[in-house]
Amino acid sequence: MKILVVNAGSSSLKYQLIDMETEGVLAKGNVERIGIKGSVLKAKGNGKEKVYEQDMPSHKIAIELVLKALTDEEVGVISSMTEIGAVGHRVVASGEYFKAPTLVTPEVIKTLEEKTFELAPLHNPAAATGLRACMDVMPGTPMVLVFDSSFHQTMPEKAYMFGIKYEDYKAYGVRKYGAHGTSHKFVSQEAAKYMGKKPEDLKIVTCHLGNGSSISAVDGGKCVDTSMSFTPLDGVLMGTRSGCIDASAVEFLARKKGLNAADMVTYLNKECGVAGISGVSSDFRDLIAGAEQGNTRCQLALDMFAYQTKKFVGSYAAAMGGLDCIVFTAGIGENTPIIRAGVCEGLEFLGVKLDKKSNEGKNTGAIREISAKGSKVKVLVIPTNEELVIARETLALV
Ligand code: ADP
């Protein structure tokens, strides 16, 4: 079966067509500037790329164009859209309404639209728009929602609760949900495969370090804790997000800066993190270059990021009562040796011993072991593949 994976944003849409027999990517692409002047689709297939520059006032028109590209003479890989067996949609927030990937029915759409939008106001409405666009253009093709938070549904109550009034948790669903679940699931399973062990026998900390970063504790194949919480703002500081901060400091800052609550959340999401600390960039390549030239704020941003990530690794080892493996993944995790070194430094007491040369080796796009021989804890760099997980979950449901 061929499965189309769709990741719709408010003005963008990424897709991959995956052949589930080989799990190979047949075609992929992304649409940018939907509903904005200058819309463009960059479609890849058959080893070629084609750029479609045309007005796409809606997600529906964008999906129609994606299907045109998939059946195109040059970059097309299928002869008709009936070859697409199902569509898997990435959805950021599930709240407590969806515990697992879900086959779309009218009832499911109603819940998605009426209950979850307020949990991820930037992302979930976009996913719903993408879903409706696909349903319009591909009536009869099964649609599946795969939630970023699904993998975290196994967290115990003691891990996902905030220390607020229990009645307020019950009334408003304010608790930890987590994010990047498909990535944490994928890399933890890959780590077990690589180690030749069953996931049930392993205690793994997965570090998804990208522009958005989260760390998870995966005990026996199940997520037992994760660093992002009610929204992706929590946990370590990130590209432009502050990470965890004393709520009273937020109120204090809001008063000083004359910002209301909503503006304050935007400030914490968009103007803080390593970009705010360095004053230079949210991109770690720029921070590393800055630090090498003696910029102390770039160095501070790098040090804070590695230190905060390390603290999650240590606390999750404590939460699980042991540690067999640390996995680094995503843009920073896969590409930044000094961050991996900074995270692992000082964790020798847990049995972590990094191999300096392997850590500094080239990113090959394959799994790399960067722990030293004899290290009790394996340290692995594993390229993430969220689209493949979405396709697998979709296949499992249809
Ligand atoms: P997201 O999916 O959250 O947007 P990614 O996982 O793609 O983010 O990570 C993007 C980030 O990864 C960039 O902002 C940059 O900080 C970092 N990054 C990507 N490539 C490199 C590299 N070669 N060296 C250092 N950092 C990199």
Side-chain angles (χ1 to χ4, degrees):
M1 184 189 284
K2 296 182 180 84
I3 289 180
L4 182 65
V5 175
V6 172
N7 181 354
S10 53
S11 66
S12 69
L13 189 147
K14 290 188 221 154
Y15 70 91
Q16 284 194 5
L17 185 68
I18 299 180
D19 182 348
M20 296 314 290
E21 254 149 60
T22 59
E23 294 198 332
V25 178
L26 300 170
K28 64 178 181 179
N30 63 301
V31 188
E32 276 162 27
R33 304 181 65 85
I34 299 170
I36 310 171
K37 235 178 153 35
S39 332
V40 59
L41 159 63
K42 291 181 187 152
K44 286 186 186 158
N46 292 324
K48 294 180 205 140
E49 185 181 64
K50 192 162 172 175
V51 179
Y52 297 77
E53 283 177 20
Q54 68 177 68
D55 261 4
M56 287 178 253
S58 68
H59 284 70
K60 185 176 170 195
I61 310 256
I63 284 286
E64 280 170 352
L65 195 59
V66 166
L67 290 176
K68 195 170 155 201
L70 288 172
T71 50
D72 180 75
E73 272 184 11
E74 246 179 282
V75 291
V77 292
I78 52 175
S79 51
S80 129
M81 71 181 200
T82 55
E83 284 183 47
I84 300 171
V87 184
H89 294 266
R90 178 196 175 209
V91 185
V92 168
S94 64
E96 291 190 322
Y97 304 102
F98 301 101
K99 305 265 182 216
T102 303
L103 193 63
V104 172
T105 62
E107 195 56 35
V108 165
I109 299 179
K110 195 164 178 267
T111 308
L112 177 75
E113 295 185 337
E114 288 179 7
K115 306 281 190 190
T116 72
F117 280 12
E118 64 177 3
L119 296 173
L122 294 179
H123 295 99
N124 276 26
T129 306
L131 169 67
R132 284 196 178 274
C134 286
M135 290 171 63
D136 279 348
V137 181
M138 291 181 263
T141 306
M143 303 279 152
V144 171
L145 305 181
V146 181
F147 300 91
D148 277 9
S149 43
S150 286
F151 183 57
H152 304 304
Q153 288 290 332
T154 47
M155 284 187 291
E157 201 175 22
K158 67 181 176 188
Y160 69 66
M161 288 294 295
F162 294 130
I164 58 169
K165 280 177 73 174
Y166 196 83
E167 292 79 4
D168 290 334
Y169 152 66
K170 275 294 183 200
Y172 307 117
V174 175
R175 49 158 279 188
K176 177 182 286 200
Y177 293 108
H180 295 139
T182 43
S183 177
H184 290 288
K185 180 175 184 176
F186 179 76
V187 298
S188 58
Q189 289 177 344
E190 289 292 298
K193 258 194 252 167
Y194 177 87
M195 292 170 74
K197 299 212 166 146
K198 292 199 200 113
E200 299 85 75
D201 298 332
L202 290 170
K203 296 179 190 298
I204 303 176
V205 174
T206 49
C207 305
H208 178 110
L209 309 180
N211 197 32
S213 294
S214 67
I215 298 110
S216 289
V218 185
D219 192 354
K222 294 200 165 96
C223 177
V224 293
D225 209 339
T226 193
S227 63
M228 281 179 171
S229 67
F230 182 62
T231 75
L233 185 53
D234 208 356
V236 291
L237 86 166
M238 307 174 210
T240 58
R241 293 189 189 117
S242 63
C244 57
I245 173 171
D246 182 344
S248 300
V250 175
E251 190 272 338
F252 183 87
L253 259 177
R255 248 187 305 125
K256 293 286 179 197
K257 291 173 75 77
L259 298 177
N260 64 29
D263 291 342
M264 209 43 216
V265 171
T266 305
Y267 161 84
L268 292 169
N269 270 294
K270 306 261 185 210
E271 293 180 43
C272 295
V274 294
I277 294 292
S278 68
V280 169
S281 173
S282 61
D283 193 302
F284 277 57
R285 286 163 284 203
D286 301 332
L287 299 177
I288 291 165
E292 279 168 2
Q293 285 159 16
N295 183 321
T296 51
R297 277 170 58 184
C298 286
Q299 186 62 54
L300 173 63
L302 295 170
D303 290 346
M304 286 173 70
F305 185 77
Y307 175 69
Q308 294 189 6
T309 304
K310 186 216 304 271
K311 286 204 297 181
F312 273 103
V313 175
S315 67
Y316 287 167
M320 294 189 288
L323 182 64
D324 300 304
C325 177
I326 301 172
V327 181
F328 289 100
T329 192
I332 300 160
E334 292 169 36
N335 293 300
T336 314
I338 61 154
I339 293 299
R340 295 192 298 251
V343 172
C344 292
E345 187 187 68
L347 294 184
E348 292 80 7
F349 78 100
L350 284 176
V352 178
K353 207 168 150 210
L354 210 59
D355 182 83
K356 194 164 179 278
K357 203 158 154 232
S358 310
N359 181 40
E360 284 167 8
K362 229 171 113 61
N363 180 3
T364 55
I367 298 186
R368 291 191 294 140
E369 184 171 339
I370 59 168
S371 40
K373 272 209 171 66
S375 174
K376 188 174 128 324
V377 175
K378 281 251 183 289
V379 186
L380 304 174
V381 178
I382 303 184
T384 192
N385 193 340
E386 292 166 273
E387 290 77 13
L388 181 57
V389 178
I390 294 172
R392 283 178 184 164
E393 307 270 16
T394 301
L395 180 68
L397 275 183
V398 300

